[in-house]
Amino acid sequence: MMQGLETSGDRLVMSLIQRHIGATRAELTKASSFTQQSVSRIIDRLAKRDLIRIGEIVRNGRGQPSPIINLNPDAAFSLGLSIMADGVKLVAINLCGEVICESAIGVESPSPCDVLEMASSFIASLAEQGHALTALAGLGIGITGYFVVDGSQVNPPALDDWAFVEIGRVFKDALGIPVWVENDGTAAAVGESLLGCGREVDDFAYLHFAAGFGGGLIRNGGAVRGVSGNAGEFGGMLPPDYVSPSLGKLMQIVKAEAGISYPTLQAFLDAFDPSWAGVSTWLQEAERSLTLIVNGIGSAVDPGMIILGGRLPEVLASALIERLHFYPAERRGFRRPSPSLRFAASPCDPVAVGAAMLPFQAVFF
């Protein structure tokens, strides 16, 4: 397996290179607060391990020309697994977060045995394609549900075969690689912090829309897990008479009002039409619930951004962002600052990609 970075200085500079694509030595020095000599020594060490690439020379004003530093995408790869009630998505990404291979199973309530077999075959296929397993950083897993006991077991809303299973230990023992496990909202938030619009701020909240509703919190660039690993379970903020803004609830309302039914959430989303009867009803209910949630987040956490993501269609995200508002708290002509609302579009499963970033975060960043 891939050997990690041992010193905090190396990890900090590696993290800065990851966040500041195309930065120069001078820019990395300024961002790190290290001396120029220290940054140069660290860059030399990272280059010797082939973790970074030193590119073209850039002239910036009167100072000495400085080369552009970027990650070497081929230096390592990682696996990310998203376990959902209606299927499984498995991806391999390179060190720059680009998907190099993916696989999916579209079945309801996939079993651990099925997923382990899928993962084992996936790893074997990567080896056959020429990806050296010595460059594999590990496997990250994102699963719906909340952690229980000592944080090693999950209690999912569906997926009975996964309830109270020590998922990390099971996969580590079966595959022989390091494994990290987070709930789906936190995994997606980590991916957004390293690869998406979350790179723009160090503190944000991620609202994860899927069959259920949850999320994740990023503080100072890192995930907030809480005592039991359940920080970011924003659905728990809602009183009993509020409707969950989940896509599962959207399916129920559309079925009741339009008579339109699909066997799985993915089939529903593939055919989704915003003009269906029931969509406007869901938007009204979601507006009420999410207005409460975003105001609670804004008041308690004060993040720079609240991101709407998960499996939420962009057309629904845009409609929600237009409807959501922060309670006025004007004083002497000023309102309390509020976080911006953004939609996180993802070309691939955000939980799988975010989960795949967990090993990189643990090993390099």
Side-chain angles (χ1 to χ4, degrees):
M1 294 296 106
M2 171 61 63
Q3 181 182 354
L5 297 176
E6 297 181 357
T7 72
S8 58
D10 288 8
R11 294 173 69 91
L12 174 60
V13 172
M14 191 74 169
S15 176
L16 290 172
I17 295 170
Q18 192 277 332
R19 291 179 65 85
H20 302 278
I21 299 173
T24 64
R25 288 178 188 257
E27 291 167 337
L28 293 171
T29 298
K30 183 177 180 180
S32 70
S33 76
F34 292 161
T35 65
Q36 183 176 350
Q37 293 79 5
S38 295
V39 171
S40 292
R41 284 195 297 269
I42 292 171
I43 288 174
D44 288 343
R45 283 199 298 270
L46 297 177
K48 285 181 180 178
R49 287 195 55 182
D50 206 26
L51 293 174
I52 62 173
R53 288 177 174 172
I54 301 177
E56 62 182 281
I57 301 296
V58 175
R59 290 188 176 276
N60 187 10
R62 296 183 178 181
Q64 292 291 325
S66 185
I68 289 176
I69 312 296
N70 276 313
L71 299 178
N72 175 9
D74 302 322
F77 70 98
S78 177
L79 308 180
L81 178 63
S82 173
I83 303 171
M84 304 164 284
D86 62 336
V88 174
K89 187 68 174 286
L90 182 60
V91 303
I93 64 173
N94 63 24
L95 191 54
C96 291
E98 300 161 336
V99 176
I100 56 178
C101 191
E102 57 186 294
S103 181
I105 299 177
V107 296
E108 287 194 83
S109 299
S111 71
C113 289
D114 291 338
V115 179
L116 277 170
E117 182 179 348
M118 173 191 182
S120 181
S121 298
F122 189 76
I123 293 171
S125 175
L126 287 169
E128 291 173 0
Q129 295 172 31
H131 297 282
L133 296 186
T134 54
L136 176 58
L139 168 68
I141 300 175
I143 183 169
T144 180
Y146 56 84
F147 289 100
V148 294
V149 191
D150 59 355
S152 63
Q153 303 172 28
V154 176
N155 191 7
L159 300 169
D160 291 343
D161 290 343
W162 298 85
F164 312 117
V165 173
E166 292 188 33
I167 300 171
R169 180 187 60 79
V170 168
F171 275 78
K172 180 180 179 181
D173 291 347
L175 301 175
I177 60 176
V179 177
W180 291 262
V181 182
E182 291 286 1
N183 66 39
D184 50 4
T186 297
V190 168
E192 193 64 30
S193 72
L194 296 172
L195 301 172
C197 58
R199 297 163 66 107
E200 300 172 20
V201 293
D202 289 332
D203 301 84
F204 68 87
Y206 184 95
L207 307 185
H208 185 256
F209 295 81
F213 173 77
L217 276 172
I218 300 295
R219 187 75 172 173
N220 295 324
V224 177
R225 301 196 74 254
V227 173
S228 56
N230 294 316
E233 286 286 345
F234 300 123
M237 298 170 64
L238 296 174
D241 59 331
Y242 278 65
V243 172
S244 169
S246 69
L247 298 180
K249 189 62 179 179
L250 172 62
M251 288 181 67
Q252 294 175 12
I253 294 175
V254 168
K255 181 179 180 180
E257 294 194 17
I260 297 173
S261 177
Y262 288 89
T264 66
L265 175 59
Q266 190 56 55
F268 175 85
L269 293 175
D270 289 341
F272 179 71
D273 185 338
S275 67
W276 283 341
V279 173
S280 61
T281 301
W282 180 84
L283 283 171
Q284 292 172 6
E285 296 290 352
E287 175 188 353
R288 179 172 181 251
S289 297
L290 290 171
T291 296
L292 178 66
I293 287 171
V294 299
N295 277 277
I297 293 171
S299 298
V301 183
D302 191 25
M305 189 181 294
I306 297 178
I307 300 172
L308 283 66
R311 302 169 75 179
L312 184 69
E314 184 172 3
V315 64
L316 290 181
S318 298
L320 287 172
I321 289 173
E322 288 180 3
R323 290 165 174 257
L324 296 180
H325 61 278
F326 292 91
Y327 304 139
E330 189 170 307
R331 185 179 300 151
R332 299 186 185 90
F334 288 90
R335 288 188 176 184
R336 183 180 60 210
S338 300
S340 62
L341 296 170
R342 295 279 291 274
F343 170 62
S346 176
C348 189
D349 185 299
V351 175
V353 173
M357 293 302 295
L358 295 174
F360 284 156
Q361 191 176 54
V363 174
F364 296 122
F365 309 136

